[in-house]
Amino acid sequence: MDALERYEPIVDDYAAFREACERPLPSVVRANGIKADPDRAAAALEDEGVTVTRRAWNPSILEVDTDKPGNTWPYFHGWIHGQEEVSAIPARVLDPEPGDAVWDACAAPGSKTTQLADLLDDAGLLMANDDNLGRLSALRSNAERLGATCVAVTNEDARRFTADGFGIDAFDAVLADVPCTCEGTIRKNADALDTVGREASLNIAALQTDILRRAIRLTREGGTVVYSTCTFAPEENEGVIDRVLDDEPVALVDFDVDLAHSPGLTAWNGETYDGSLTRAKRFYPHQNDTGGFFCAKLEVGA
Ligand SMILES: C[S@@+](CC[C@H](N)C(=O)[O-])C[C@H]1O[C@@H](n2cnc3c(N)ncnc32)[C@H](O)[C@@H]1O
């Protein structure tokens, strides 16, 4: 039995799922609105002989027929950023307003940070945190290339992060794009399944739960937290959210993403989860020819 077989009972079309996991991913970039709108970025790529296909659900996502978009001048000028399609979901779901105070709890190497900066029109305060200093240097260089000036970088364990020293009582919006077993990256990383399975998922779920709790506690009443992973494992997705719903002042809310998906699970491996978990979304590789992803939106209450 391989690590994906345990998902046969929950995936809508298991044969198509397995087949998609074997195929390489389409090459996709995100147009960076801080420097160039999607039409301008697409035209610049086409000037270099690249064929560009647009995505209806998100006009900033451009599929390109080169596996080296980083060798084009729109990349060097910061007009585009290589970002997997489903990885562009959570920032859109968080949907910050210009001027907001936003915390990106696990931010490196900064794909979603720089997308959030774009959605903020580069206006506001975007605190990008990660506990891995090496990965933060990639974030810094991405933010610089893409012209994201509203980003402040911190190197803390998100479980103990505090914004006191920055004059912020609570954030308007927080992204918890937590470390995970990365099963959904199998299409770009053939080794992704080497160390996964229920044990590995249960081991990392405690860290994920603590980061999500911190995210909720640092968000103002009425503010939004988005929780996301690139794994299929329910222990790291619905299981984590179910735990915080029990004892944190937070509720799952609906959101729209115009991509095929499956609802979050309410039962797995003999456990039942809160019924509102159907408001979360699972994105399987065969549904939109992407990687695998999980996303949930939470509103913080009193
Ligand atoms: C899924 S990746 C984040 C990807 C990033 N959001 C992006 O879009 O580029 C998870 C990140 O969590 C970081 N991490 C792991 N444990 C952490 C902790 N306790 N506190 C803060 N960051 C942590 C890892 O270094 C890694 O960069």
Side-chain angles (χ1 to χ4, degrees), residues 7-302:
Y7 303 129
E8 185 163 5
I10 57 168
V11 178
D12 54 338
D13 183 343
Y14 184 68
F17 166 73
R18 293 306 301 240
E19 192 269 321
C21 288
E22 301 287 320
R23 273 188 275 125
L25 271 176
S27 184
V28 164
V29 299
R30 175 176 55 78
N32 171 35
I34 296 173
K35 289 199 170 176
D37 68 35
D39 289 338
R40 207 164 161 217
L45 285 163
E46 281 161 356
D47 281 350
E48 293 206 18
V50 176
T51 302
V52 176
T53 312
R54 308 292 285 268
R55 290 289 199 272
W57 77 276
N58 181 344
S60 298
I61 297 294
L62 312 174
E63 182 178 343
V64 291
D65 70 345
T66 169
D67 57 1
K68 296 204 168 31
N71 288 351
T72 61
W73 81 253
Y75 177 86
F76 287 115
H77 286 275
W79 290 19
I80 60 167
H81 183 65
Q83 183 171 0
E84 217 273 282
E85 189 164 353
V86 282
S87 148
I89 293 171
R92 295 262 301 201
V93 174
L94 193 63
D95 195 23
E97 298 277 331
D100 276 355
V102 181
W103 184 38
D104 190 353
C106 303
S111 292
K112 300 176 192 74
T113 306
T114 51
Q115 185 187 4
L116 286 166
D118 185 353
L119 293 169
L120 284 164
D121 288 341
D122 200 27
L125 175 61
L126 173 49
M127 300 209 59
N129 178 69
D130 203 281
D131 77 340
N132 184 318
L133 196 54
R135 286 170 66 90
L136 278 175
S137 61
L139 181 145
R140 280 200 194 88
S141 85
N142 283 326
E144 190 178 347
R145 181 177 55 83
L146 296 165
T149 62
C150 67
V151 180
V153 179
T154 58
N155 177 213
E156 304 285 344
D157 185 328
R159 293 171 290 184
R160 286 182 276 283
F161 184 86
T162 151
D164 293 354
F166 302 95
I168 292 172
D169 295 331
F171 292 96
D172 299 298
V174 174
L175 175 60
D177 183 45
V178 296
C180 71
T181 53
C182 300
E183 294 169 343
T185 65
I186 175 72
R187 297 182 67 183
K188 64 177 178 196
N189 173 16
D191 302 331
L193 300 184
D194 285 357
T195 53
V196 302
R198 182 166 160 78
E199 277 310 304
S201 291
L202 289 172
N203 283 341
I204 201 167
L207 170 64
Q208 294 163 332
T209 307
D210 287 347
I211 293 175
L212 179 56
R213 285 190 199 285
R214 195 77 198 136
I216 293 164
R217 286 170 195 176
L218 289 179
T219 303
R220 67 165 169 82
E221 195 179 325
T224 304
V225 175
V226 167
Y227 178 85
S228 57
T229 75
C230 57
T231 191
F232 309 114
E235 296 84 354
E236 301 176 57
N237 294 326
E238 292 88 346
V240 166
I241 293 173
D242 185 64
R243 214 162 300 134
V244 306
L245 287 176
D246 277 347
D247 51 15
E248 298 288 346
V250 78
L252 278 160
V253 290
D254 289 316
F255 61 94
D256 289 322
V257 174
D258 196 9
L259 281 173
H261 60 271
S262 299
L265 304 174
T266 55
W268 169 251
N269 205 43
E271 275 186 63
T272 53
Y273 300 137
D274 191 278
S276 66
L277 270 151
T278 54
R279 292 179 164 160
K281 292 185 177 17
R282 304 183 139 253
F283 300 88
Y284 292 116
H286 60 290
Q287 293 175 320
N288 307 285
D289 198 12
T290 61
F293 212 73
F294 174 88
C295 188
K297 182 175 188 178
L298 300 135
E299 190 175 302
V300 176

